[in-house]
Amino acid sequence: MCGIIARVGEGGAVDELLTGLKNLEYRGYDSAGVAIPNGKSIDIRKQEGSVDDLVSAIDGNEPVGNIGIGHTRWSTHGPPTDENAHPHTDCTGSVAVVHNGIIDNHDELRDRLIAEGHEFTSETDTEVVPHLIERHLANGDGPEAAFRSAVDELDGSYALVATVEGGDALYATRNGSPLVLGIDGDRHYLASDVPAFLEFTDDVVYLEDHDVVVLNGDGYTIFDSEGRRLDRPVETVEWSPEDAEKGSYDHFMFKEINEQPVALGQTLSDRFTGDGDVDLGIDPDRYVDVDHVHFVACGTSYHAGLQGTHILTRAGVPASTYRASEFVATPPPLNEDSLVVGVTQSGETADTLEALRVATRRGAKTIAVTNAPGSTAVRETDESIFIRAGPEIGVAATKTFSSQVATLIMFAELITRSMTGSGIEDFEEIVDSLRSLPDAVQRILDTSRAERIARFYAGSEAQFFIGRGGAYPIALEGALKFKEITYEHAEGFAAGELKHGPLALVNADTPVFAVILGPGDEKTIGNVREVQARGAPVIVVAPEGADDALAVADEVLTVPDSHPIVASVLANVQLQLVSYHVAELLSRSIDKPRNLAKSVTVE
């Protein structure tokens, strides 16, 4: 869950490395550093804190060289300190390495290296790598051979880039952690994610596990683990550099909330055929014999999966949603008639990837629903569906969740037709609401009272979110978003479960956000009255025409009238705005909330 940037080519390296680190700070922001060979040694600059802290520290005394590596860290092994910051070096300072992932056998390797006389200066798992390279160099290997030999000794997940003093090359590989190559004429880049170098180039090569890349002034060469040359295709990313910039917004999160009309337009574009079918780029005939759909996901994507299960179950299709880590720990019965759908914004979420691998090993069909073409999830599943939301930089997912839910609504229709021979009963009405969705979201953005409600309730003892049916995943997502960026206590509950324990927590200082979207309205209204009887203020999120629901509210956040399934996206936008404005009032670090990273690439 760290960010890697590396660069080779004409011109100075440091400015582009620092730009790449700023672009990757959503992946890690505990510490940052760069390493630049200067012809005499490797100039290492690193420290605890943000990339801005690193920029300030080297301002006026920048390293000089046209090749370099950089890293922004999200701590796993050892706290955020100068010593634990990357890049890491060997005993002599002649090898520098940056790393994303976890090296499982680092304790064993460290003990062996210490016994051989190597001295370590950090608590990280990464530091074993430069020492391993140092040992193989001492044994007579050249830099590339030493890098390969070191990698062969590693167990775990990793993306690695190394440079060796006296050379003009970078050496890189990946196994279970993302690494992408960027190509711009005589300049080449390596990074954990495309936004790192998007303002320099949009031509990329998506590397695969165990690829070994050698970058130098003459270009790049990709080898397999046995040393055979590979030819990976060059693809053009459709994102523009402006997509990954804040522009006039104070925060990426607020920018991305406001980008949802455009993102949803991209998600829905050209997805409906003239005869009423859905075209998601997958073959419906593959799923005729499927008897159960299993969604696997983590965090926000898990809530999107819950919405997918709700829609399919409502249509009579057997479906379940699992937290990916629990699916791995205790997989359900699977066979060739099972379909496992991995919902992952980045396509690199470690637990979700492992769940998909478990499904593949057991013979199930697999689909990835992702925002990231070229990601590991895309390469390892039978087919992929792209949500087309554009780059999302804020750690708290906003527009990707909306696009995931919209995509899963369409997927539910496609898979229902495949499995049952007929579609969702009221799908024409759903399609009408989907077509109006971008405009409806824009209307909320233009008229929302969320900022006023945030000012009134910010600083409460706790916040509770309740919903029933399709509103339940939105309650969970609303609570998750609130706790992610405000650091305040928030919990989401199925509305009917309040009386089975959570009601004990309710008092006059615990506002309750009740999401009421149609089905089960009268029962959820009853739950609202229960919490009001305990003194809790209630903010109802409901369609404009839901008079009964709105009548019981202390405050209201309305959404345009829409089909209840589609209205879930609209309700979520209102809750996103509440979380954002509360976090802003509390002066939280909205784009980079403490202890969190955007792409969780370790289990």
PDB file of all heavy atoms in Angstrom, residues 449 452-453 456-457 511-512 528 531-533 535-540 549-557:
ATOM      1  N   ARG A 449     -28.808  20.180   1.100  1.00  0.00           N
ATOM      2  CA  ARG A 449     -28.754  20.854   2.392  1.00  0.00           C
ATOM      3  C   ARG A 449     -27.742  20.174   3.327  1.00  0.00           C
ATOM      4  O   ARG A 449     -27.732  20.405   4.532  1.00  0.00           O
ATOM      5  CB  ARG A 449     -30.139  20.840   3.037  1.00  0.00           C
ATOM      6  CG  ARG A 449     -31.198  21.535   2.189  1.00  0.00           C
ATOM      7  CD  ARG A 449     -32.611  21.343   2.719  1.00  0.00           C
ATOM      8  NE  ARG A 449     -32.850  22.075   3.967  1.00  0.00           N
ATOM      9  CZ  ARG A 449     -33.027  21.511   5.139  1.00  0.00           C
ATOM     10  NH1 ARG A 449     -32.964  20.190   5.260  1.00  0.00           N
ATOM     11  NH2 ARG A 449     -33.275  22.240   6.214  1.00  0.00           N
ATOM     12  N   ARG A 452     -25.571  22.413   5.669  1.00  0.00           N
ATOM     13  CA  ARG A 452     -26.305  22.956   6.824  1.00  0.00           C
ATOM     14  C   ARG A 452     -26.452  21.889   7.906  1.00  0.00           C
ATOM     15  O   ARG A 452     -26.244  22.146   9.097  1.00  0.00           O
ATOM     16  CB  ARG A 452     -27.683  23.445   6.380  1.00  0.00           C
ATOM     17  CG  ARG A 452     -28.558  23.920   7.538  1.00  0.00           C
ATOM     18  CD  ARG A 452     -29.986  24.164   7.077  1.00  0.00           C
ATOM     19  NE  ARG A 452     -30.821  24.590   8.188  1.00  0.00           N
ATOM     20  CZ  ARG A 452     -31.360  23.783   9.089  1.00  0.00           C
ATOM     21  NH1 ARG A 452     -31.153  22.469   9.012  1.00  0.00           N
ATOM     22  NH2 ARG A 452     -32.112  24.259  10.070  1.00  0.00           N
ATOM     23  N   ILE A 453     -26.812  20.676   7.503  1.00  0.00           N
ATOM     24  CA  ILE A 453     -26.983  19.598   8.476  1.00  0.00           C
ATOM     25  C   ILE A 453     -25.651  19.256   9.133  1.00  0.00           C
ATOM     26  O   ILE A 453     -25.572  18.984  10.339  1.00  0.00           O
ATOM     27  CB  ILE A 453     -27.618  18.381   7.784  1.00  0.00           C
ATOM     28  CG1 ILE A 453     -29.093  18.694   7.473  1.00  0.00           C
ATOM     29  CG2 ILE A 453     -27.490  17.118   8.614  1.00  0.00           C
ATOM     30  CD1 ILE A 453     -29.774  17.684   6.602  1.00  0.00           C
ATOM     31  N   PHE A 456     -24.887  21.612  11.877  1.00  0.00           N
ATOM     32  CA  PHE A 456     -25.764  21.443  13.037  1.00  0.00           C
ATOM     33  C   PHE A 456     -25.343  20.248  13.890  1.00  0.00           C
ATOM     34  O   PHE A 456     -25.421  20.279  15.120  1.00  0.00           O
ATOM     35  CB  PHE A 456     -27.216  21.294  12.578  1.00  0.00           C
ATOM     36  CG  PHE A 456     -28.222  21.477  13.671  1.00  0.00           C
ATOM     37  CD1 PHE A 456     -28.554  22.752  14.127  1.00  0.00           C
ATOM     38  CD2 PHE A 456     -28.824  20.381  14.271  1.00  0.00           C
ATOM     39  CE1 PHE A 456     -29.478  22.918  15.151  1.00  0.00           C
ATOM     40  CE2 PHE A 456     -29.751  20.543  15.293  1.00  0.00           C
ATOM     41  CZ  PHE A 456     -30.080  21.819  15.735  1.00  0.00           C
ATOM     42  N   TYR A 457     -24.902  19.167  13.232  1.00  0.00           N
ATOM     43  CA  TYR A 457     -24.663  17.920  13.972  1.00  0.00           C
ATOM     44  C   TYR A 457     -23.187  17.552  14.127  1.00  0.00           C
ATOM     45  O   TYR A 457     -22.869  16.546  14.779  1.00  0.00           O
ATOM     46  CB  TYR A 457     -25.404  16.764  13.299  1.00  0.00           C
ATOM     47  CG  TYR A 457     -26.905  16.897  13.412  1.00  0.00           C
ATOM     48  CD1 TYR A 457     -27.681  17.230  12.306  1.00  0.00           C
ATOM     49  CD2 TYR A 457     -27.556  16.721  14.633  1.00  0.00           C
ATOM     50  CE1 TYR A 457     -29.065  17.367  12.409  1.00  0.00           C
ATOM     51  CE2 TYR A 457     -28.924  16.855  14.752  1.00  0.00           C
ATOM     52  CZ  TYR A 457     -29.673  17.178  13.638  1.00  0.00           C
ATOM     53  OH  TYR A 457     -31.037  17.316  13.752  1.00  0.00           O
ATOM     54  N   PRO A 511     -27.346  11.490  16.419  1.00  0.00           N
ATOM     55  CA  PRO A 511     -28.227  11.626  15.266  1.00  0.00           C
ATOM     56  C   PRO A 511     -28.288  10.332  14.462  1.00  0.00           C
ATOM     57  O   PRO A 511     -27.287   9.616  14.322  1.00  0.00           O
ATOM     58  CB  PRO A 511     -27.586  12.754  14.460  1.00  0.00           C
ATOM     59  CG  PRO A 511     -26.198  12.884  14.973  1.00  0.00           C
ATOM     60  CD  PRO A 511     -26.233  12.444  16.389  1.00  0.00           C
ATOM     61  N   VAL A 512     -29.481  10.043  13.954  1.00  0.00           N
ATOM     62  CA  VAL A 512     -29.710   8.836  13.173  1.00  0.00           C
ATOM     63  C   VAL A 512     -30.080   9.247  11.752  1.00  0.00           C
ATOM     64  O   VAL A 512     -31.041  10.003  11.548  1.00  0.00           O
ATOM     65  CB  VAL A 512     -30.834   7.981  13.795  1.00  0.00           C
ATOM     66  CG1 VAL A 512     -31.138   6.781  12.905  1.00  0.00           C
ATOM     67  CG2 VAL A 512     -30.436   7.523  15.199  1.00  0.00           C
ATOM     68  N   VAL A 528     -37.782   4.708  12.995  1.00  0.00           N
ATOM     69  CA  VAL A 528     -37.480   6.120  13.236  1.00  0.00           C
ATOM     70  C   VAL A 528     -38.176   6.587  14.513  1.00  0.00           C
ATOM     71  O   VAL A 528     -37.580   7.272  15.365  1.00  0.00           O
ATOM     72  CB  VAL A 528     -37.907   6.976  12.033  1.00  0.00           C
ATOM     73  CG1 VAL A 528     -37.938   8.467  12.389  1.00  0.00           C
ATOM     74  CG2 VAL A 528     -36.975   6.729  10.848  1.00  0.00           C
ATOM     75  N   VAL A 531     -36.319   5.495  17.709  1.00  0.00           N
ATOM     76  CA  VAL A 531     -35.144   6.252  18.133  1.00  0.00           C
ATOM     77  C   VAL A 531     -35.537   7.657  18.588  1.00  0.00           C
ATOM     78  O   VAL A 531     -34.919   8.209  19.511  1.00  0.00           O
ATOM     79  CB  VAL A 531     -34.068   6.303  17.027  1.00  0.00           C
ATOM     80  CG1 VAL A 531     -33.575   4.911  16.709  1.00  0.00           C
ATOM     81  CG2 VAL A 531     -34.558   7.010  15.781  1.00  0.00           C
ATOM     82  N   GLN A 532     -36.579   8.210  17.963  1.00  0.00           N
ATOM     83  CA  GLN A 532     -37.040   9.526  18.412  1.00  0.00           C
ATOM     84  C   GLN A 532     -37.581   9.468  19.832  1.00  0.00           C
ATOM     85  O   GLN A 532     -37.410  10.407  20.617  1.00  0.00           O
ATOM     86  CB  GLN A 532     -38.099  10.062  17.446  1.00  0.00           C
ATOM     87  CG  GLN A 532     -37.513  10.551  16.123  1.00  0.00           C
ATOM     88  CD  GLN A 532     -38.578  10.981  15.147  1.00  0.00           C
ATOM     89  OE1 GLN A 532     -39.663  10.380  15.092  1.00  0.00           O
ATOM     90  NE2 GLN A 532     -38.294  12.009  14.352  1.00  0.00           N
ATOM     91  N   ALA A 533     -38.194   8.337  20.182  1.00  0.00           N
ATOM     92  CA  ALA A 533     -38.711   8.176  21.542  1.00  0.00           C
ATOM     93  C   ALA A 533     -37.581   8.158  22.569  1.00  0.00           C
ATOM     94  O   ALA A 533     -37.809   8.415  23.757  1.00  0.00           O
ATOM     95  CB  ALA A 533     -39.531   6.892  21.643  1.00  0.00           C
ATOM     96  N   GLY A 535     -35.027  10.187  22.213  1.00  0.00           N
ATOM     97  CA  GLY A 535     -34.463  11.526  22.147  1.00  0.00           C
ATOM     98  C   GLY A 535     -33.529  11.789  20.993  1.00  0.00           C
ATOM     99  O   GLY A 535     -32.975  12.892  20.884  1.00  0.00           O
ATOM    100  N   ALA A 536     -33.310  10.798  20.124  1.00  0.00           N
ATOM    101  CA  ALA A 536     -32.357  10.981  19.033  1.00  0.00           C
ATOM    102  C   ALA A 536     -32.960  11.816  17.915  1.00  0.00           C
ATOM    103  O   ALA A 536     -34.095  11.571  17.495  1.00  0.00           O
ATOM    104  CB  ALA A 536     -31.919   9.625  18.484  1.00  0.00           C
ATOM    105  N   PRO A 537     -32.220  12.787  17.379  1.00  0.00           N
ATOM    106  CA  PRO A 537     -32.677  13.491  16.189  1.00  0.00           C
ATOM    107  C   PRO A 537     -32.534  12.593  14.964  1.00  0.00           C
ATOM    108  O   PRO A 537     -31.604  11.780  14.884  1.00  0.00           O
ATOM    109  CB  PRO A 537     -31.729  14.696  16.107  1.00  0.00           C
ATOM    110  CG  PRO A 537     -30.494  14.256  16.817  1.00  0.00           C
ATOM    111  CD  PRO A 537     -30.931  13.303  17.883  1.00  0.00           C
ATOM    112  N   VAL A 538     -33.433  12.710  14.011  1.00  0.00           N
ATOM    113  CA  VAL A 538     -33.444  11.844  12.833  1.00  0.00           C
ATOM    114  C   VAL A 538     -33.357  12.687  11.566  1.00  0.00           C
ATOM    115  O   VAL A 538     -34.140  13.623  11.380  1.00  0.00           O
ATOM    116  CB  VAL A 538     -34.701  10.963  12.796  1.00  0.00           C
ATOM    117  CG1 VAL A 538     -34.743  10.154  11.491  1.00  0.00           C
ATOM    118  CG2 VAL A 538     -34.727  10.021  13.992  1.00  0.00           C
ATOM    119  N   ILE A 539     -32.390  12.341  10.722  1.00  0.00           N
ATOM    120  CA  ILE A 539     -32.276  12.939   9.396  1.00  0.00           C
ATOM    121  C   ILE A 539     -32.720  11.880   8.400  1.00  0.00           C
ATOM    122  O   ILE A 539     -32.092  10.820   8.288  1.00  0.00           O
ATOM    123  CB  ILE A 539     -30.831  13.375   9.095  1.00  0.00           C
ATOM    124  CG1 ILE A 539     -30.342  14.381  10.135  1.00  0.00           C
ATOM    125  CG2 ILE A 539     -30.750  13.978   7.690  1.00  0.00           C
ATOM    126  CD1 ILE A 539     -29.579  13.757  11.276  1.00  0.00           C
ATOM    127  N   VAL A 540     -33.814  12.127   7.718  1.00  0.00           N
ATOM    128  CA  VAL A 540     -34.352  11.174   6.753  1.00  0.00           C
ATOM    129  C   VAL A 540     -33.813  11.504   5.371  1.00  0.00           C
ATOM    130  O   VAL A 540     -33.862  12.659   4.924  1.00  0.00           O
ATOM    131  CB  VAL A 540     -35.891  11.192   6.758  1.00  0.00           C
ATOM    132  CG1 VAL A 540     -36.441  10.436   5.552  1.00  0.00           C
ATOM    133  CG2 VAL A 540     -36.426  10.574   8.043  1.00  0.00           C
ATOM    134  N   ALA A 549     -42.504   9.382   4.971  1.00  0.00           N
ATOM    135  CA  ALA A 549     -41.152   9.308   5.522  1.00  0.00           C
ATOM    136  C   ALA A 549     -40.648  10.684   5.915  1.00  0.00           C
ATOM    137  O   ALA A 549     -40.064  10.867   6.990  1.00  0.00           O
ATOM    138  CB  ALA A 549     -40.211   8.667   4.504  1.00  0.00           C
ATOM    139  N   LEU A 550     -40.880  11.654   5.049  1.00  0.00           N
ATOM    140  CA  LEU A 550     -40.380  12.996   5.324  1.00  0.00           C
ATOM    141  C   LEU A 550     -41.083  13.631   6.510  1.00  0.00           C
ATOM    142  O   LEU A 550     -40.494  14.453   7.225  1.00  0.00           O
ATOM    143  CB  LEU A 550     -40.527  13.867   4.078  1.00  0.00           C
ATOM    144  CG  LEU A 550     -39.755  13.377   2.835  1.00  0.00           C
ATOM    145  CD1 LEU A 550     -40.086  14.252   1.636  1.00  0.00           C
ATOM    146  CD2 LEU A 550     -38.248  13.369   3.090  1.00  0.00           C
ATOM    147  N   ALA A 551     -42.334  13.233   6.746  1.00  0.00           N
ATOM    148  CA  ALA A 551     -43.131  13.849   7.812  1.00  0.00           C
ATOM    149  C   ALA A 551     -42.584  13.534   9.196  1.00  0.00           C
ATOM    150  O   ALA A 551     -42.801  14.309  10.142  1.00  0.00           O
ATOM    151  CB  ALA A 551     -44.585  13.395   7.700  1.00  0.00           C
ATOM    152  N   VAL A 552     -41.879  12.411   9.348  1.00  0.00           N
ATOM    153  CA  VAL A 552     -41.398  12.044  10.685  1.00  0.00           C
ATOM    154  C   VAL A 552     -40.001  12.570  10.960  1.00  0.00           C
ATOM    155  O   VAL A 552     -39.460  12.356  12.043  1.00  0.00           O
ATOM    156  CB  VAL A 552     -41.407  10.500  10.861  1.00  0.00           C
ATOM    157  CG1 VAL A 552     -42.816   9.957  10.724  1.00  0.00           C
ATOM    158  CG2 VAL A 552     -40.449   9.821   9.879  1.00  0.00           C
ATOM    159  N   ALA A 553     -39.381  13.270   9.994  1.00  0.00           N
ATOM    160  CA  ALA A 553     -37.981  13.664  10.112  1.00  0.00           C
ATOM    161  C   ALA A 553     -37.817  14.943  10.914  1.00  0.00           C
ATOM    162  O   ALA A 553     -38.663  15.833  10.879  1.00  0.00           O
ATOM    163  CB  ALA A 553     -37.388  13.844   8.725  1.00  0.00           C
ATOM    164  N   ASP A 554     -36.700  15.026  11.629  1.00  0.00           N
ATOM    165  CA  ASP A 554     -36.278  16.295  12.208  1.00  0.00           C
ATOM    166  C   ASP A 554     -35.574  17.147  11.148  1.00  0.00           C
ATOM    167  O   ASP A 554     -35.640  18.368  11.177  1.00  0.00           O
ATOM    168  CB  ASP A 554     -35.344  16.049  13.387  1.00  0.00           C
ATOM    169  CG  ASP A 554     -36.041  15.304  14.515  1.00  0.00           C
ATOM    170  OD1 ASP A 554     -36.920  15.887  15.162  1.00  0.00           O
ATOM    171  OD2 ASP A 554     -35.703  14.117  14.726  1.00  0.00           O
ATOM    172  N   GLU A 555     -34.859  16.487  10.268  1.00  0.00           N
ATOM    173  CA  GLU A 555     -34.219  17.134   9.123  1.00  0.00           C
ATOM    174  C   GLU A 555     -34.384  16.203   7.924  1.00  0.00           C
ATOM    175  O   GLU A 555     -34.523  14.976   8.097  1.00  0.00           O
ATOM    176  CB  GLU A 555     -32.727  17.364   9.370  1.00  0.00           C
ATOM    177  CG  GLU A 555     -32.401  18.291  10.519  1.00  0.00           C
ATOM    178  CD  GLU A 555     -32.536  19.761  10.139  1.00  0.00           C
ATOM    179  OE1 GLU A 555     -32.776  20.044   8.939  1.00  0.00           O
ATOM    180  OE2 GLU A 555     -32.405  20.612  11.034  1.00  0.00           O
ATOM    181  N   VAL A 556     -34.344  16.772   6.720  1.00  0.00           N
ATOM    182  CA  VAL A 556     -34.516  15.928   5.538  1.00  0.00           C
ATOM    183  C   VAL A 556     -33.405  16.207   4.537  1.00  0.00           C
ATOM    184  O   VAL A 556     -32.916  17.337   4.406  1.00  0.00           O
ATOM    185  CB  VAL A 556     -35.889  16.147   4.869  1.00  0.00           C
ATOM    186  CG1 VAL A 556     -37.012  15.768   5.820  1.00  0.00           C
ATOM    187  CG2 VAL A 556     -36.047  17.565   4.362  1.00  0.00           C
ATOM    188  N   LEU A 557     -33.008  15.163   3.839  1.00  0.00           N
ATOM    189  CA  LEU A 557     -32.159  15.234   2.664  1.00  0.00           C
ATOM    190  C   LEU A 557     -32.912  14.507   1.561  1.00  0.00           C
ATOM    191  O   LEU A 557     -33.013  13.272   1.575  1.00  0.00           O
ATOM    192  CB  LEU A 557     -30.805  14.569   2.920  1.00  0.00           C
ATOM    193  CG  LEU A 557     -29.857  15.303   3.858  1.00  0.00           C
ATOM    194  CD1 LEU A 557     -28.692  14.401   4.265  1.00  0.00           C
ATOM    195  CD2 LEU A 557     -29.326  16.584   3.209  1.00  0.00           C
TER     196      LEU A 557
END
